[in-house]
Amino acid sequence: DQQVKQNSPSLSVQEGRISILNCDYTNSMFDYFLWYKKYPAEGPTFLISISSIKDKNEDGRFTVFLNKSAKHLSLHIVPSQPGDSAVYFCAASVGGADGLTFGKGTHLIIQP
Amino acid sequence: GAVVSQHPSWVICKSGTSVKIECRSLDFQATTMFWYRQFPKQSLMLMATSNEGSKATYEQGVEKDKFLINHASLTLSTLTVTSAHPEDSSFYICSAFGTSETQYFGPGTRLLVL
């Protein structure tokens, strides 16, 4: 049973527009959430994180929103750039110091 | 900062041999390191948690005698795939706990067992 779900395997967005990637989780014990960007045959690169005590965290073009009641988080990238094309993984943990549970990823394609 | 390296980046071996993969935190000390595995078109799956100076904790379904983990220092953890078989072929990735409750990942090791 998948505890972290990314229901969109792929997403295509025009350059300059906003990209919104979604993630749902089922384990109510998760209290720390992260987004990673990954290219094939490379390790994930950390983008942004959020603790369950917050509902929003922003870092440059990246903003993560957390809706605990809906067990849903989203990553907003604005404006989207060609270099943003990659697979984005949502991950969650209990307490922030545990191993991560990953979603299956969303392949973001930024079109010129 | 928060750079994690892995060696080797890829390895091809014969069935039945053992392969050791090293994970190093280059610019910080990591009391905890994690090992993940990713099969093609699948997500990353946590295999084990490695704590410096103590035995690793394995996730359900991961054979501890097959995947030997040693965390000898605050900057080095090793994963040894013993008696490797073709079904062990995968992408193995380590991560190390940096500051701010963030895990930083290594570049991964592609293992192909013939």
Side-chain angles (χ1 to χ4, degrees):
Chain A
D1 181 36
Q2 264 211 300
Q3 298 186 62
V4 177
K5 300 177 184 177
Q6 292 177 256
N7 292 319
S8 298
S10 67
L11 174 68
S12 184
V13 175
Q14 203 166 12
E15 180 179 358
R17 298 285 186 109
I18 182 171
S19 295
I20 300 176
L21 298 108
N22 293 302
C23 177
D24 297 293
Y25 62 96
T26 57
N27 188 343
S28 57
M29 298 296 291
F30 288 145
D31 58 3
Y32 197 69
F33 305 90
L34 308 91
W35 284 95
Y36 287 87
K37 175 181 179 181
K38 187 180 182 299
Y39 296 109
E42 293 184 10
T45 300
F46 170 73
L47 287 175
I48 193 168
S49 62
I50 188 166
S51 151
S52 60
I53 63 173
K54 295 184 177 181
D55 55 19
K56 177 183 175 181
N57 189 26
E58 191 173 350
D59 184 2
R61 295 187 299 117
F62 303 95
T63 303
V64 55
F65 296 91
L66 175 62
N67 182 333
K68 282 177 294 187
S69 60
K71 294 191 177 70
H72 176 83
L73 63 155
S74 60
L75 174 68
H76 293 211
I77 306 173
V78 55
S80 300
Q81 299 174 353
D84 294 332
S85 295
V87 178
Y88 288 77
F89 286 95
C90 169
S93 73
V94 178
D98 278 3
L100 298 174
T101 301
F102 281 84
K104 288 191 172 182
T106 296
H107 186 192
L108 176 64
I109 302 162
I110 305 300
Q111 295 182 333
Chain B
V3 178
V4 178
S5 71
Q6 270 184 253
H7 178 81
S9 56
W10 60 270
V11 59
I12 300 174
C13 69
K14 292 182 179 180
S15 186
T17 60
S18 294
V19 175
K20 180 186 281 188
I21 303 169
E22 291 187 350
C23 176
R24 294 181 185 272
S25 56
L26 297 184
D27 52 0
F28 64 100
Q29 293 184 328
T31 53
T32 303
M33 290 184 172
F34 302 91
W35 287 94
Y36 295 81
R37 179 169 54 182
Q38 185 184 27
F39 291 108
K41 298 188 179 180
Q42 297 291 318
S43 185
L44 285 80
M45 298 295 293
L46 177 66
M47 297 175 66
T49 301
S50 166
N51 291 301
E52 187 265 338
S54 63
K55 290 184 179 180
T57 304
Y58 292 81
E59 295 299 301
Q60 193 173 11
V62 178
E63 299 175 56
K64 63 178 182 179
D65 294 330
K66 180 165 189 62
F67 299 100
L68 300 179
I69 292 172
N70 183 273
H71 195 152
S73 75
L74 289 172
T75 59
L76 173 64
S77 176
T78 60
L79 168 69
T80 302
V81 183
T82 62
S83 187
H85 291 284
E87 58 265 30
D88 298 324
S89 299
S90 187
F91 190 54
Y92 292 87
I93 313 174
C94 72
S95 71
F97 232 113
T99 57
S100 307
E101 298 179 309
T102 300
Q103 285 186 37
Y104 293 93
F105 284 81
T109 297
R110 172 85 51 197
L111 171 63
L112 177 61
V113 185
L114 301 176

